[in-house]
Amino acid sequence: AGLLIAGIGLFTSRGTTVDFVPREAMALVNQPPILQVDFDAQLQSVYGLTPDKATEAQKRKIVHDMIREEVYVQRGLELGMPESDPDTRNALVSSVEQQVLADITTDSPSDQKLQAYYDSHRGRYASEGSITVTDLLAPAAGAGIEAAEARAKDAATAIQRGMTIGEATAKFALKDTRKTSGEEFYFAARIHLGPTLFAAATQLKSGQASAPVKAGDGYHVLVVAQNTPPVAQNFAAVREQVLTDYKNDAEAHLQANEEKFLIGRADILVA
């Protein structure tokens, strides 16, 4: 039994020359097989027929085309085209990436998995909030940081009591930084104000002024005219987007792992 198994392994191992076509193949071309499943798929693609419906001429045409493709591929490998031809290199990279992602591409995750993903990424699935905010600065230069803080506190208190922004700016020697311009979406205000000032502004309701926020250039007072925070969308309404994001994140994770594995096992020398 051991000799029989060893004999089968010897005559079917990679690189072994055989003079018969294995059951799962349609042909051998310099030993590499043209598989029956690939033949069936190409027959269906070209003629829209299964093997039992196709004519002998159609079958021979498909076999001929596949053999022709195989000998050209083998010749390309002999010439080193995968290493030198940009289109071939890109096609190989794309092919390996698609193979890595095949399971994810065809996967149909359950609603339970998607719900869990949605719950852990709720910030993605909300309407975009908007805010109208003015950033007033009490500069630290000249009178000093303590005096700037005192002016900013007095200005914030005065605005809370009804003083207009223009009056507070003039009375307490503040400067409108003009980082924002009227009503802006949250993402734009975050970019313009920076994370610290934006966080302070979004805590305020319409008509409120913030406590002074210390920064490198002095103390800032944020005055909000209107603040409409984002509203979360329910899972049912955004399920398709959740599915897309779930697959994209899974694909990115797989690609990162595959890249780490391939580079990790490679013998790489960098000058």
Side-chain angles (χ1 to χ4, degrees):
L3 288 173
L4 179 61
I5 293 171
I8 293 172
L10 177 64
F11 287 104
T12 59
S13 61
R14 181 182 294 273
T16 302
T17 301
V18 296
D19 57 1
F20 64 91
V21 179
R23 179 178 299 178
E24 69 275 9
M26 285 293 297
L28 297 180
V29 183
N30 295 323
Q31 299 306 306
I34 293 175
L35 297 177
Q36 178 72 48
V37 292
D38 293 337
F39 169 81
D40 293 349
Q42 188 145 329
L43 190 66
Q44 180 69 38
S45 175
V46 175
Y47 294 113
L49 297 171
T50 56
D52 58 313
K53 299 290 180 62
T55 66
E56 289 302 313
Q58 290 171 329
K59 293 178 183 178
R60 283 196 297 272
K61 176 68 166 57
I62 295 300
V63 171
H64 173 270
D65 290 347
M66 296 183 76
I67 290 174
R68 179 182 185 279
E69 179 184 89
E70 181 61 31
V71 295
Y72 271 80
V73 168
Q74 292 181 19
R75 180 55 176 161
L77 294 173
E78 290 176 359
L79 297 174
M81 289 183 68
E83 291 82 13
S84 60
D85 180 65
D87 291 339
T88 306
R89 291 172 65 90
N90 291 338
L92 283 172
V93 171
S94 177
S95 179
V96 172
E97 288 178 341
Q98 290 174 11
Q99 184 183 43
V100 170
L101 302 177
D103 289 342
I104 294 297
T105 303
T106 58
D107 183 32
S108 297
S110 66
D111 277 357
Q112 186 175 5
K113 284 184 179 180
L114 294 180
Q115 180 72 55
Y117 182 88
Y118 165 84
D119 290 339
S120 61
H121 299 82
R122 284 182 178 270
R124 293 186 185 180
Y125 310 108
S127 62
E128 185 59 60
S130 67
I131 190 169
T132 304
V133 56
T134 301
D135 175 32
L136 301 178
L137 171 66
I145 191 71
E146 292 182 358
E149 181 180 13
R151 295 202 315 276
K153 285 182 178 179
D154 291 342
T157 301
I159 292 172
Q160 288 284 81
R161 292 175 178 173
M163 183 178 287
T164 67
I165 291 175
E167 292 170 341
T169 301
K171 181 174 181 178
F172 300 103
L174 305 184
K175 180 179 74 172
D176 185 349
T177 65
R178 301 190 182 280
K179 290 183 177 180
T180 58
S181 178
E183 182 179 3
E184 295 186 338
F185 286 121
Y186 263 36
F187 76 88
R190 184 184 295 109
I191 294 170
H192 296 154
L193 292 172
T196 302
L197 297 180
F198 174 76
T202 54
Q203 300 303 310
L204 304 173
K205 296 180 180 179
S206 299
Q208 289 186 329
S210 72
V213 180
K214 186 178 181 180
D217 54 355
Y219 280 87
H220 292 255
V221 175
L222 290 310
V223 184
V224 171
Q226 71 83 24
N227 183 8
T228 306
V231 178
Q233 296 174 289
N234 62 53
F235 173 72
V238 294
R239 185 187 182 282
E240 291 305 312
Q241 184 61 46
V242 173
L243 174 61
T244 299
D245 293 344
Y246 174 89
K247 288 193 171 186
N248 287 343
D249 282 3
E251 288 178 0
H253 180 70
L254 274 180
Q255 285 179 327
N257 285 343
E258 180 73 5
E259 179 180 313
K260 182 179 180 181
F261 166 72
L262 292 176
I263 291 178
R265 75 172 186 174
D267 183 12
I268 300 172
L269 297 177
V270 180

